Structure formats: structure tokens, C-alpha cells
Amino acid sequence: MHLSRTMLWTSMVVAALALQAPGVARGQETGGFVRTQPENMKFVDVEGGLGAQQAILEGDPSKPGLYVIRMKFPPGVMSRPHTHSQDRLAVVLKGTWWTGTGPDFKPETTVPVKTGGFMKHPKDGVHYDGAKDEEVIVQIIGMGPVTSPRIRPAEGGYGYSIKK
């Protein structure tokens, strides 16, 4: 079973590089291959994200199928505790990503994931994450449609500022 899951996720990652989704800003396409340079990725502000931004590189998280997104967290911004309706796989591309689990936001207990590190967010697993002292960029791969409800939506927007 473990080998099958590994093969499935590996296939999904490879497919993410080859799929073409309408409506996603693209780089150069040749024979089905897509190349997008970092300067051509369109990052948009996450509503209530205190400067957190997202770029959809492939697919659409709100629709069926594979998607790839990048998240940027400015220093001192972390997400509020939330879940996802599907598993998500994340790789840290820049900085140290601080990750916590459980419904209570406790940035002092977060665990660092360094550049190059990997984390799986299991379906319905309560967590929060973000940046402390430096900008963090994370690439996330998953299957849509996915929803990401906050544990206590009455508390406000997407993120917390932990700046002193």
C-alpha cells in the first residue's frame, strides 16, 4: 500500500508539469511542455492574508484535478488554524516555514521546515503555518476541488501577524 501511494503522488507531480489548464497564466509552451519563469508568475494577495500571496501555476484548486500553487508569506505572517478537504503536499522553496498542528494558534510551539524540506497536510488535519523572521515561499500540490475552512472563522481573515 505504501508503495502504491508513493507511485500515485509521484505520478501526480509528473502530471502537474505536463497538464494544461485554461485560464492559468502560462509561460512558453512547446509541444505540450510548459516553462514559466519566476518573474512571469502572477502572485495575488490572499484576502485577509496580511501580505500573504498566492500564484496558481497549474490547474485550479476549486475544480476537479491536479493543481500546483505557490504561497509567499512575508516575515511575521502565519495562517490561522485551518484544514483542507483533500491531502496537500508542500515543499519549501525559500526560507524556513514554521508549522503547527491543532486548533490553538501557538507560534512558539511551531516546528521549522527548512528550504528543501517537505510536509504533507493530511485531509482534515488541523494546522497553521507561515513565516517568522524571513520571507517564505512554499509550493503546494494537491487534487481539487479543495476547501480550506478556518477553525474559528469569526476571528477574522486568513492570517495572524506575529510581528513585535
Side-chain angles (χ1 to χ4, degrees):
M1 182 71 172
H2 178 68
L3 180 59
S4 296
R5 279 188 177 162
T6 301
M7 290 174 64
L8 173 64
W9 285 111
T10 301
S11 298
M12 288 172 49
V13 170
V14 170
L17 301 174
L19 289 176
Q20 297 182 23
V24 175
R26 295 232 170 264
Q28 180 182 6
E29 288 191 44
T30 306
F33 292 92
V34 177
R35 293 176 181 91
T36 306
Q37 299 301 328
E39 61 271 14
N40 296 328
M41 294 176 187
K42 183 181 178 189
F43 282 87
V44 296
D45 290 336
V46 175
E47 185 177 345
L50 303 172
Q53 295 184 314
Q54 171 179 280
I56 298 174
L57 304 181
E58 186 63 51
D60 182 338
S62 69
K63 296 181 179 164
L66 188 65
Y67 65 86
V68 180
I69 62 174
R70 287 216 180 146
M71 289 290 303
K72 284 185 182 181
F73 294 90
V77 172
M78 299 186 81
S79 64
R80 294 180 186 275
H82 62 282
T83 64
H84 302 292
S85 60
Q86 302 288 342
D87 288 352
R88 288 167 51 122
L89 307 174
V91 175
V92 181
L93 302 178
K94 177 182 178 187
T96 298
W97 191 37
W98 293 89
T99 61
T101 58
D104 298 318
F105 182 73
K106 298 179 183 176
E108 67 279 4
T109 65
T110 53
V111 176
V113 181
K114 298 183 289 186
T115 299
F118 167 84
M119 183 171 187
K120 175 183 176 182
H121 287 162
K123 174 184 176 181
D124 299 326
V126 180
H127 64 282
Y128 50 93
D129 42 56
K132 288 190 178 181
D133 301 322
E134 62 187 331
E135 179 183 62
V136 173
I137 300 176
V138 179
Q139 184 157 298
I140 300 168
I141 299 172
M143 293 295 288
V146 64
T147 58
S148 301
R150 289 186 302 278
I151 299 304
R152 291 181 286 283
E155 289 182 352
Y158 171 84
Y160 281 117
S161 173
I162 59 169
K163 295 178 183 175
K164 295 181 177 161

